[in-house]
Amino acid sequence: MKRILKLAALLAAVLLVFAACSKGADADSAPFHIGVVTGSVSQSEDDLRGAEELIKLYGDSKTGGMITHLTYPDNFMDQMDTTISQILSLADDAKLKAIIVNQAVPGTAEAFKRVREKRPDILLFAGEPHEDPPVIQEVADMAINSDFISRGYTIIWAAKQMGAKAFVHISFPRHMSYETLGLRRLIMEQACTDLGMQFIFETAPDPTSEVGVAGAQQYILEKMPQWIEKYGEETAFFCTNDAHTEPLLKQLFAYGGYFVEADLPSPLMGYPGALGLDLTAEAGDFQKILKKVEESVVAKGGAGRFGTWAYSYGFTVTAGLGEYARRILAGETQLGDKASLNDSFAKFTPGAKWASGPYVNALTGQQASNHMLVFMDTYVFGQGYLPTTAQAIDPKYYEISVNN
Amino acid sequence: MRNVKSFVADNIVTLIFLTITIIAIPFSGLSGSYIISNLIDRFARSSFLVFALILPIMAGMGINFAMVLGATAGQIGLIFAVDHNIMGTEGLILATLVGIPLSVGLGWFSGQVLNRARGREMVTGFILGYFMDGIYQFFGLYIMGWLIPIRTAQVMQIDGGGVRNTLALESVRGGLDKIVSLKVGPFSIPVVTFAVIAVLCLFIIWFRRTKLGQDMRAIGQEQGISHAAGINVDRTRILAIVISTVLACIGQIIYLQNLGNMFTYTSQRQAGYYAAAAILVGGATVSKASIKNVFIGVFLVHALYITTPLAGKALFKSAMVGQYMSDFINYGIIASALVLHAWKNKRAADLARAGLRMSAEAQAAAGGVA
Amino acid sequence: MNLRSLVVKITLAVVYLVLAVWAYGAGKGYPLYIDNTDLSKPTMLSVVIDGKSPVRVREGAYTEIMVKGARKHTISLVLPSGAEYRETFRFPAGAQAAEIRVPELAPGSDPVVRPVLPRQDR
Amino acid sequence: MSSIKTFIADFGWPRIIIALFLLSLFVAAPIVGVDLGASIGDVLNRFGQNAIMVLALVPMVQSGCGLNFGLPIGILAGLLGSTITMQLGLTGLTGLLVAILITIVFGVIFGYLYGKLLNNVKGEEMTIAMYVGFSAVMLFSILWLVLPFNKADLVMGYAGEGLRRSIALEDYWGKLLNNFGQFSIGGTPIPTGLLLFVGLCVFFVYVFMRTRTGTAMTAVGSNPDFARASGVSVERMRTVSTVVSTVLGGIGILAYQQSFGWVQVYDAPLFMAFPAVSALLIGGASVTKASMVNVVLGTFLFQGILTMTPSVINNVLKNELSEVIRIIVTNGMIIYALTRKTKVAK
């Protein structure tokens, strides 16, 4: 019994001592802080690089700047606890006025709820939320998704333009249970029927399961030659998981087939690994990166068969939301100003065409004022931009719903 | 002096992690009130699960990593409650009512398996957890929605087959924590949750004194002698696991109602892993555990979890290193606690053997062969 | 002894069953929809039901709030202007869901709670 | 009749069922439209990829240390071997040989330390090994970020530091063993070099287990007291077995990488011990006894099922059942082995 008391007393004393001294804030010049939470480099590099770009622009809060950057765990599907407490720990800083989570992995909504209970003054932005739209709309001040509805049509349209006759959609149960991804699959299926293409759904292992990334990539490597043989070389491939992208591209270069764009498109997505590119010299400059990737794709005989977005989606969302939050906090604009949001994104993507619109709930037809869907023109290597953002999309695609 | 030495030797694991925590706190830059309010929250959330480990340790079966099975049962209960739109405290009660029979069955099963794997209970239990993952996925993805109808779109997968991967537990969120929430300064204390934990403590204290509790401790000491003394060893061991599994089931429900969100197919994996780390850090060994160990362990482990990612980040100037750092510490806690304990045991055994040999030699020398 | 254990078992089973039935009945949730889709006079409001933490209903939103049990509930809707509407209501017998339309809120009168079908069944 | 019975008893029902299941998958494959030749090629390839890692478990089983759930430690040695060699810019056969050399050096160091640790935790080896493996992988995740790798195709393109999540081996020694003497029989590519390399390793371990050290090791495993009495140092033998196991684990991952085409760092090795353990047990090994036959048979059966189930079942049912089956079979086998009454009396 004595021991318990001793230990407890020691623990309490320690906590109190450090509670007192840990708040010895140094001379901090920034008027406010912005918290940015992204995946790690090994999980989603682009998102993290966007946070680093923000740090480069506005400084790290530890050294008098604005940005506090944290990462959620690699195996976020196992460790929701950690994700929540990482996000929540940001709210401990009284100067922190905005939190950006990109990608908003499961647990973000709960963390936002808790932040809101404690600190209603903090702006909460979610990039590419994994949780269902109504859940995240309820708690976030602004959510950004890549336009899973329009792209359900435009990716198929682009595949047809590039010359594909069939479309293979590679995914697995966890992803198909996300409303955004599941819905897009249904739209793609419909678009294929309408445009006279064959739609095929293939299952590959989930990289977050215990086969790990290695097992998942191995599966794609092994299966691709067989799939291409089965469905023909005039087939476009699409996968919903980032980890699948690299082996997919590698095999497409070797065996033929088309690739319109990745789930979260970026010139950095899959290509550098599949092509063995060194981009050190081009770091940070997406126009140069795109050029180098293009040269290499064309050299490998992939002209006209491979596409991407000219700028990284993940990078832009992190950086763009950060910029938007800064503008709001600095009083340059206010929450809900769409023009300023677009402008914040454009800051990181000079010369690119974006299309954006509010999320529309297929069930109720309501528009969400705080949930934007964005997408960009597809850039086909060795060929140039496809005007995907200029396509007129049949309204019926917006009415496809997952619940019937 | 000697007292201090033996105190250190007895609590080496706890002291090591106390030191790490003390070092990590200033580096993390977190405020005391944040750490304390987070600790209260996490204590309410996860200590019940840790209690589930006490009985099997008492019965000499080591850390019951198979408690994951109980957590799974709890999750099935919650799926049921959410699917039928039963809200709040009533929803949790219903989930518990559904979970308990399931966890009794699963506990009986894992007890049987562990009885056949004597001497390797821990690793078997660990693998049993993974095995259950497969069965559970089969249940959630194929049986549910086919044999057992799913009523709510919120629970059903988009393509209509099985239970979703992430389940929002909004309807039962805080169903226990928020019945009575006491505000003390900046902290809010979930009174009912703490009351439930207190009742569980009393139960364990009472249980140790019952015939069954005594039997378990006897088995934990020495199975052979217990058997000779007429204790049904196998049955008692199974009962220890069954109770542990049921407690894990309730513990998981408490844990998830606090978290408000559930990864249908992975949340249960975390249960055994956090709980094992906590009880070991609290000074329990694989053969001895008490309520005290649970309390100290939960506080220390969570203080570590709260501070290490940020401390790692501050030390290495990289958010990612901070994250890996805390993962490393998470696994390292269990590894080093087990190692230190096994090492202590071995030293004790060596000492005993040396003592035995010496006394034997002394006897031989004194008595001679005569 | 045998009889005693039988009695204990039966009692346990009965308690178990009663508890389950009670929990099922008392905890059953019913959806209450807040219809804020009319954008002619866009306004955001926060809704408090039975003294729980407020739920924000954005302009243009059709928000579903789950309400526990078919018993008496108090609801209060607060507009940014500070205007507050309170109403005590009970789910009409047989109704599975209810709806409140924001445009119908009029100063001085209580909000109208009308029974509707749950969304999935529509 | 009785001979069949003893055969079945020896072979074990689970193995027979799994073998029959695999056989039925092979039979069903052409019916459901899966290319049988290519599938057999995949199975052979995967067999070659994984066999050495399964082999790595044998010495420790024989010396009584149980199943080496700490295999990731050996794998980390192999990762160090390949990344350092790549950083030095060595390619082709030279590269692979240097990588093996470096792997052996690190493997011996890691194995020695790991063996010392396990000697101090007798009786709890498996549980502890698992967690030691996990934490070693996470520790190395930090190292991959901060070690001074700077070769352009190794590090992350954007920042120029920290290893990539997966590094292409194509320009180094990717497929080197696979392509050595590769030929096809009826559309089935045979990875000759890989199979030869595996054969070599199996032969090496086979011979090693029959040397004085090897037999002493087995003696330690089957009866430590007797071994001690006959003058064999139990501790030393256990350490030697751990070193051999760790080195083999490292070489195993090298063979795996060259066929897979990528070096995978960070948390990739975390769960690699489980399939290996499962394969060995399917092959008929127990926690205390394992042979070369167990390794070869087990790897073939296990990898066969892993390769064939998804393609065949997905073609029939069009869903994700195969993933579930895999989890149940893998872990079910480990449990079966752990719960089997071992004949060695303790």
Side-chain angles (χ1 to χ4, degrees), chain B residues 294-327:
Chain B
V294 176
F295 281 105
I296 298 173
V298 171
F299 270 114
L300 266 184
V301 149
H302 285 291
L304 265 181
Y305 287 159
I306 295 166
T307 53
T308 46
L310 293 162
K313 186 200 165 213
L315 279 174
F316 292 93
K317 308 261 175 281
S318 152
M320 237 166 15
V321 174
Q323 191 52 54
Y324 284 134
M325 181 82 177
S326 69
D327 275 348

mmCIF file of all heavy atoms in Angstrom, chain B residues 294-327:
data_model
loop_
_atom_site.group_PDB
_atom_site.id
_atom_site.type_symbol
_atom_site.label_atom_id
_atom_site.label_comp_id
_atom_site.label_asym_id
_atom_site.label_seq_id
_atom_site.Cartn_x
_atom_site.Cartn_y
_atom_site.Cartn_z
ATOM 1 N N VAL B 294 -2.512 -2.529 -12.235
ATOM 2 C CA VAL B 294 -3.373 -1.996 -13.284
ATOM 3 C C VAL B 294 -3.388 -0.474 -13.230
ATOM 4 O O VAL B 294 -3.168 0.203 -14.237
ATOM 5 C CB VAL B 294 -4.808 -2.539 -13.145
ATOM 6 C CG1 VAL B 294 -5.717 -1.912 -14.182
ATOM 7 C CG2 VAL B 294 -4.808 -4.056 -13.275
ATOM 8 N N PHE B 295 -3.605 0.059 -12.025
ATOM 9 C CA PHE B 295 -3.724 1.510 -11.917
ATOM 10 C C PHE B 295 -2.441 2.218 -12.339
ATOM 11 O O PHE B 295 -2.452 3.114 -13.166
ATOM 12 C CB PHE B 295 -4.097 1.895 -10.480
ATOM 13 C CG PHE B 295 -5.552 1.704 -10.196
ATOM 14 C CD1 PHE B 295 -5.994 0.644 -9.425
ATOM 15 C CD2 PHE B 295 -6.482 2.577 -10.739
ATOM 16 C CE1 PHE B 295 -7.345 0.454 -9.190
ATOM 17 C CE2 PHE B 295 -7.830 2.396 -10.499
ATOM 18 C CZ PHE B 295 -8.267 1.331 -9.724
ATOM 19 N N ILE B 296 -1.334 1.770 -11.757
ATOM 20 C CA ILE B 296 -0.064 2.415 -12.090
ATOM 21 C C ILE B 296 0.213 2.270 -13.579
ATOM 22 O O ILE B 296 0.600 3.218 -14.260
ATOM 23 C CB ILE B 296 1.083 1.801 -11.270
ATOM 24 C CG1 ILE B 296 0.833 2.040 -9.789
ATOM 25 C CG2 ILE B 296 2.415 2.389 -11.693
ATOM 26 C CD1 ILE B 296 1.816 1.346 -8.891
ATOM 27 N N GLY B 297 -0.003 1.058 -14.087
ATOM 28 C CA GLY B 297 0.302 0.770 -15.486
ATOM 29 C C GLY B 297 -0.497 1.626 -16.441
ATOM 30 O O GLY B 297 0.060 2.219 -17.369
ATOM 31 N N VAL B 298 -1.799 1.716 -16.207
ATOM 32 C CA VAL B 298 -2.625 2.491 -17.128
ATOM 33 C C VAL B 298 -2.160 3.944 -17.164
ATOM 34 O O VAL B 298 -2.009 4.541 -18.229
ATOM 35 C CB VAL B 298 -4.115 2.398 -16.739
ATOM 36 C CG1 VAL B 298 -4.946 3.361 -17.557
ATOM 37 C CG2 VAL B 298 -4.613 0.990 -16.944
ATOM 38 N N PHE B 299 -1.869 4.493 -15.987
ATOM 39 C CA PHE B 299 -1.412 5.888 -15.953
ATOM 40 C C PHE B 299 -0.101 6.059 -16.699
ATOM 41 O O PHE B 299 0.055 6.932 -17.549
ATOM 42 C CB PHE B 299 -1.264 6.374 -14.508
ATOM 43 C CG PHE B 299 -2.513 6.996 -13.978
ATOM 44 C CD1 PHE B 299 -3.228 6.424 -12.950
ATOM 45 C CD2 PHE B 299 -2.982 8.169 -14.570
ATOM 46 C CE1 PHE B 299 -4.395 6.993 -12.503
ATOM 47 C CE2 PHE B 299 -4.156 8.750 -14.112
ATOM 48 C CZ PHE B 299 -4.866 8.157 -13.078
ATOM 49 N N LEU B 300 0.855 5.182 -16.395
ATOM 50 C CA LEU B 300 2.171 5.338 -16.995
ATOM 51 C C LEU B 300 2.141 5.143 -18.510
ATOM 52 O O LEU B 300 2.687 5.939 -19.270
ATOM 53 C CB LEU B 300 3.139 4.326 -16.385
ATOM 54 C CG LEU B 300 3.962 4.827 -15.218
ATOM 55 C CD1 LEU B 300 4.936 3.758 -14.786
ATOM 56 C CD2 LEU B 300 4.713 6.083 -15.607
ATOM 57 N N VAL B 301 1.491 4.068 -18.926
ATOM 58 C CA VAL B 301 1.468 3.760 -20.351
ATOM 59 C C VAL B 301 0.822 4.892 -21.126
ATOM 60 O O VAL B 301 1.312 5.323 -22.167
ATOM 61 C CB VAL B 301 0.713 2.434 -20.585
ATOM 62 C CG1 VAL B 301 0.020 2.426 -21.916
ATOM 63 C CG2 VAL B 301 1.689 1.288 -20.540
ATOM 64 N N HIS B 302 -0.280 5.401 -20.593
ATOM 65 C CA HIS B 302 -0.956 6.445 -21.350
ATOM 66 C C HIS B 302 -0.206 7.764 -21.294
ATOM 67 O O HIS B 302 -0.196 8.510 -22.267
ATOM 68 C CB HIS B 302 -2.405 6.563 -20.914
ATOM 69 C CG HIS B 302 -3.230 5.442 -21.440
ATOM 70 N ND1 HIS B 302 -3.514 5.316 -22.772
ATOM 71 C CD2 HIS B 302 -3.765 4.352 -20.848
ATOM 72 C CE1 HIS B 302 -4.210 4.216 -22.969
ATOM 73 N NE2 HIS B 302 -4.378 3.606 -21.816
ATOM 74 N N ALA B 303 0.465 8.012 -20.185
ATOM 75 C CA ALA B 303 1.308 9.211 -20.144
ATOM 76 C C ALA B 303 2.368 9.100 -21.243
ATOM 77 O O ALA B 303 2.666 10.068 -21.946
ATOM 78 C CB ALA B 303 1.970 9.342 -18.783
ATOM 79 N N LEU B 304 2.890 7.898 -21.420
ATOM 80 C CA LEU B 304 3.878 7.670 -22.474
ATOM 81 C C LEU B 304 3.273 7.879 -23.858
ATOM 82 O O LEU B 304 3.839 8.545 -24.708
ATOM 83 C CB LEU B 304 4.381 6.229 -22.407
ATOM 84 C CG LEU B 304 5.654 5.957 -21.644
ATOM 85 C CD1 LEU B 304 5.976 4.483 -21.726
ATOM 86 C CD2 LEU B 304 6.795 6.757 -22.224
ATOM 87 N N TYR B 305 2.103 7.273 -24.071
ATOM 88 C CA TYR B 305 1.451 7.376 -25.377
ATOM 89 C C TYR B 305 1.144 8.829 -25.725
ATOM 90 O O TYR B 305 1.209 9.235 -26.868
ATOM 91 C CB TYR B 305 0.153 6.565 -25.407
ATOM 92 C CG TYR B 305 0.361 5.084 -25.443
ATOM 93 C CD1 TYR B 305 -0.645 4.210 -25.050
ATOM 94 C CD2 TYR B 305 1.564 4.540 -25.877
ATOM 95 C CE1 TYR B 305 -0.459 2.846 -25.082
ATOM 96 C CE2 TYR B 305 1.757 3.181 -25.902
ATOM 97 C CZ TYR B 305 0.741 2.332 -25.505
ATOM 98 O OH TYR B 305 0.934 0.990 -25.543
ATOM 99 N N ILE B 306 0.778 9.589 -24.705
ATOM 100 C CA ILE B 306 0.425 10.984 -24.977
ATOM 101 C C ILE B 306 1.669 11.782 -25.346
ATOM 102 O O ILE B 306 1.658 12.600 -26.256
ATOM 103 C CB ILE B 306 -0.256 11.610 -23.733
ATOM 104 C CG1 ILE B 306 -1.589 10.923 -23.463
ATOM 105 C CG2 ILE B 306 -0.480 13.096 -23.935
ATOM 106 C CD1 ILE B 306 -2.163 11.237 -22.096
ATOM 107 N N THR B 307 2.762 11.513 -24.627
ATOM 108 C CA THR B 307 3.913 12.402 -24.777
ATOM 109 C C THR B 307 4.929 11.965 -25.820
ATOM 110 O O THR B 307 5.544 12.809 -26.459
ATOM 111 C CB THR B 307 4.641 12.558 -23.438
ATOM 112 O OG1 THR B 307 4.940 11.250 -22.939
ATOM 113 C CG2 THR B 307 3.799 13.295 -22.440
ATOM 114 N N THR B 308 5.111 10.641 -26.028
ATOM 115 C CA THR B 308 6.248 10.234 -26.866
ATOM 116 C C THR B 308 6.200 10.703 -28.318
ATOM 117 O O THR B 308 7.249 11.076 -28.843
ATOM 118 C CB THR B 308 6.491 8.721 -26.833
ATOM 119 O OG1 THR B 308 5.265 8.065 -26.994
ATOM 120 C CG2 THR B 308 7.187 8.326 -25.566
ATOM 121 N N PRO B 309 5.042 10.686 -29.005
ATOM 122 C CA PRO B 309 5.115 11.146 -30.396
ATOM 123 C C PRO B 309 5.623 12.573 -30.489
ATOM 124 O O PRO B 309 6.458 12.902 -31.329
ATOM 125 C CB PRO B 309 3.670 11.068 -30.884
ATOM 126 C CG PRO B 309 2.984 10.156 -29.962
ATOM 127 C CD PRO B 309 3.684 10.266 -28.648
ATOM 128 N N LEU B 310 5.130 13.415 -29.563
ATOM 129 C CA LEU B 310 5.539 14.815 -29.611
ATOM 130 C C LEU B 310 6.971 14.993 -29.139
ATOM 131 O O LEU B 310 7.729 15.786 -29.696
ATOM 132 C CB LEU B 310 4.581 15.652 -28.760
ATOM 133 C CG LEU B 310 3.177 15.688 -29.348
ATOM 134 C CD1 LEU B 310 2.166 16.112 -28.324
ATOM 135 C CD2 LEU B 310 3.151 16.618 -30.535
ATOM 136 N N ALA B 311 7.353 14.224 -28.114
ATOM 137 C CA ALA B 311 8.727 14.317 -27.625
ATOM 138 C C ALA B 311 9.686 13.838 -28.713
ATOM 139 O O ALA B 311 10.714 14.461 -28.969
ATOM 140 C CB ALA B 311 8.894 13.486 -26.362
ATOM 141 N N GLY B 312 9.333 12.736 -29.370
ATOM 142 C CA GLY B 312 10.173 12.217 -30.455
ATOM 143 C C GLY B 312 10.296 13.233 -31.566
ATOM 144 O O GLY B 312 11.381 13.466 -32.113
ATOM 145 N N LYS B 313 9.188 13.893 -31.854
ATOM 146 C CA LYS B 313 9.204 14.896 -32.908
ATOM 147 C C LYS B 313 10.130 16.047 -32.527
ATOM 148 O O LYS B 313 10.930 16.529 -33.335
ATOM 149 C CB LYS B 313 7.783 15.414 -33.115
ATOM 150 C CG LYS B 313 7.687 16.351 -34.279
ATOM 151 C CD LYS B 313 6.453 17.228 -34.213
ATOM 152 C CE LYS B 313 6.616 18.361 -35.176
ATOM 153 N NZ LYS B 313 6.001 19.589 -34.749
ATOM 154 N N ALA B 314 10.033 16.477 -31.261
ATOM 155 C CA ALA B 314 10.862 17.594 -30.829
ATOM 156 C C ALA B 314 12.339 17.212 -30.838
ATOM 157 O O ALA B 314 13.193 17.999 -31.212
ATOM 158 C CB ALA B 314 10.436 18.041 -29.430
ATOM 159 N N LEU B 315 12.618 15.968 -30.451
ATOM 160 C CA LEU B 315 14.017 15.540 -30.369
ATOM 161 C C LEU B 315 14.639 15.396 -31.750
ATOM 162 O O LEU B 315 15.786 15.752 -31.966
ATOM 163 C CB LEU B 315 14.113 14.204 -29.633
ATOM 164 C CG LEU B 315 14.084 14.281 -28.114
ATOM 165 C CD1 LEU B 315 14.029 12.885 -27.531
ATOM 166 C CD2 LEU B 315 15.311 15.006 -27.609
ATOM 167 N N PHE B 316 13.886 14.827 -32.690
ATOM 168 C CA PHE B 316 14.457 14.528 -34.001
ATOM 169 C C PHE B 316 14.076 15.531 -35.069
ATOM 170 O O PHE B 316 14.433 15.376 -36.218
ATOM 171 C CB PHE B 316 14.054 13.116 -34.446
ATOM 172 C CG PHE B 316 14.675 12.038 -33.626
ATOM 173 C CD1 PHE B 316 14.013 11.520 -32.525
ATOM 174 C CD2 PHE B 316 15.932 11.543 -33.938
ATOM 175 C CE1 PHE B 316 14.595 10.523 -31.759
ATOM 176 C CE2 PHE B 316 16.511 10.552 -33.174
ATOM 177 C CZ PHE B 316 15.845 10.040 -32.087
ATOM 178 N N LYS B 317 13.280 16.508 -34.707
ATOM 179 C CA LYS B 317 12.890 17.555 -35.642
ATOM 180 C C LYS B 317 12.155 16.989 -36.861
ATOM 181 O O LYS B 317 12.298 17.490 -37.965
ATOM 182 C CB LYS B 317 14.111 18.342 -36.136
ATOM 183 C CG LYS B 317 14.996 18.858 -35.032
ATOM 184 C CD LYS B 317 14.705 20.319 -34.739
ATOM 185 C CE LYS B 317 15.485 20.831 -33.553
ATOM 186 N NZ LYS B 317 14.924 20.456 -32.253
ATOM 187 N N SER B 318 11.449 15.912 -36.662
ATOM 188 C CA SER B 318 10.695 15.348 -37.775
ATOM 189 C C SER B 318 9.457 14.663 -37.226
ATOM 190 O O SER B 318 9.542 13.836 -36.324
ATOM 191 C CB SER B 318 11.564 14.341 -38.532
ATOM 192 O OG SER B 318 10.754 13.359 -39.133
ATOM 193 N N ALA B 319 8.297 15.051 -37.770
ATOM 194 C CA ALA B 319 7.043 14.506 -37.271
ATOM 195 C C ALA B 319 7.020 12.991 -37.439
ATOM 196 O O ALA B 319 6.520 12.256 -36.596
ATOM 197 C CB ALA B 319 5.874 15.136 -38.015
ATOM 198 N N MET B 320 7.618 12.526 -38.550
ATOM 199 C CA MET B 320 7.566 11.110 -38.852
ATOM 200 C C MET B 320 8.378 10.288 -37.868
ATOM 201 O O MET B 320 7.948 9.256 -37.407
ATOM 202 C CB MET B 320 8.136 10.908 -40.231
ATOM 203 C CG MET B 320 7.185 10.247 -41.103
ATOM 204 S SD MET B 320 7.706 10.379 -42.769
ATOM 205 C CE MET B 320 9.349 10.857 -42.714
ATOM 206 N N VAL B 321 9.593 10.780 -37.582
ATOM 207 C CA VAL B 321 10.429 10.066 -36.621
ATOM 208 C C VAL B 321 9.683 9.967 -35.295
ATOM 209 O O VAL B 321 9.695 8.933 -34.635
ATOM 210 C CB VAL B 321 11.783 10.767 -36.446
ATOM 211 C CG1 VAL B 321 12.577 10.100 -35.348
ATOM 212 C CG2 VAL B 321 12.567 10.735 -37.742
ATOM 213 N N GLY B 322 8.997 11.049 -34.929
ATOM 214 C CA GLY B 322 8.229 11.027 -33.694
ATOM 215 C C GLY B 322 7.223 9.894 -33.693
ATOM 216 O O GLY B 322 7.073 9.170 -32.711
ATOM 217 N N GLN B 323 6.542 9.727 -34.834
ATOM 218 C CA GLN B 323 5.535 8.684 -34.931
ATOM 219 C C GLN B 323 6.161 7.292 -34.824
ATOM 220 O O GLN B 323 5.687 6.435 -34.091
ATOM 221 C CB GLN B 323 4.774 8.835 -36.254
ATOM 222 C CG GLN B 323 3.547 7.982 -36.346
ATOM 223 C CD GLN B 323 2.667 8.180 -35.145
ATOM 224 O OE1 GLN B 323 2.284 9.298 -34.813
ATOM 225 N NE2 GLN B 323 2.367 7.100 -34.440
ATOM 226 N N TYR B 324 7.249 7.077 -35.560
ATOM 227 C CA TYR B 324 7.922 5.775 -35.490
ATOM 228 C C TYR B 324 8.450 5.525 -34.093
ATOM 229 O O TYR B 324 8.427 4.412 -33.582
ATOM 230 C CB TYR B 324 9.069 5.713 -36.501
ATOM 231 C CG TYR B 324 8.611 5.514 -37.919
ATOM 232 C CD1 TYR B 324 9.117 6.272 -38.954
ATOM 233 C CD2 TYR B 324 7.665 4.546 -38.224
ATOM 234 C CE1 TYR B 324 8.692 6.092 -40.260
ATOM 235 C CE2 TYR B 324 7.238 4.349 -39.512
ATOM 236 C CZ TYR B 324 7.751 5.125 -40.535
ATOM 237 O OH TYR B 324 7.320 4.930 -41.809
ATOM 238 N N MET B 325 8.960 6.608 -33.500
ATOM 239 C CA MET B 325 9.490 6.539 -32.152
ATOM 240 C C MET B 325 8.431 6.006 -31.202
ATOM 241 O O MET B 325 8.694 5.115 -30.395
ATOM 242 C CB MET B 325 9.884 7.957 -31.744
ATOM 243 C CG MET B 325 10.469 8.066 -30.398
ATOM 244 S SD MET B 325 12.184 7.634 -30.545
ATOM 245 C CE MET B 325 12.651 7.911 -28.879
ATOM 246 N N SER B 326 7.219 6.532 -31.311
ATOM 247 C CA SER B 326 6.213 6.088 -30.350
ATOM 248 C C SER B 326 5.775 4.659 -30.661
ATOM 249 O O SER B 326 5.488 3.891 -29.749
ATOM 250 C CB SER B 326 5.025 7.042 -30.323
ATOM 251 O OG SER B 326 4.310 6.969 -31.507
ATOM 252 N N ASP B 327 5.771 4.279 -31.937
ATOM 253 C CA ASP B 327 5.474 2.879 -32.270
ATOM 254 C C ASP B 327 6.533 1.967 -31.674
ATOM 255 O O ASP B 327 6.236 0.900 -31.144
ATOM 256 C CB ASP B 327 5.454 2.685 -33.792
ATOM 257 C CG ASP B 327 4.106 3.036 -34.382
ATOM 258 O OD1 ASP B 327 3.156 3.201 -33.592
ATOM 259 O OD2 ASP B 327 4.005 3.144 -35.606
#
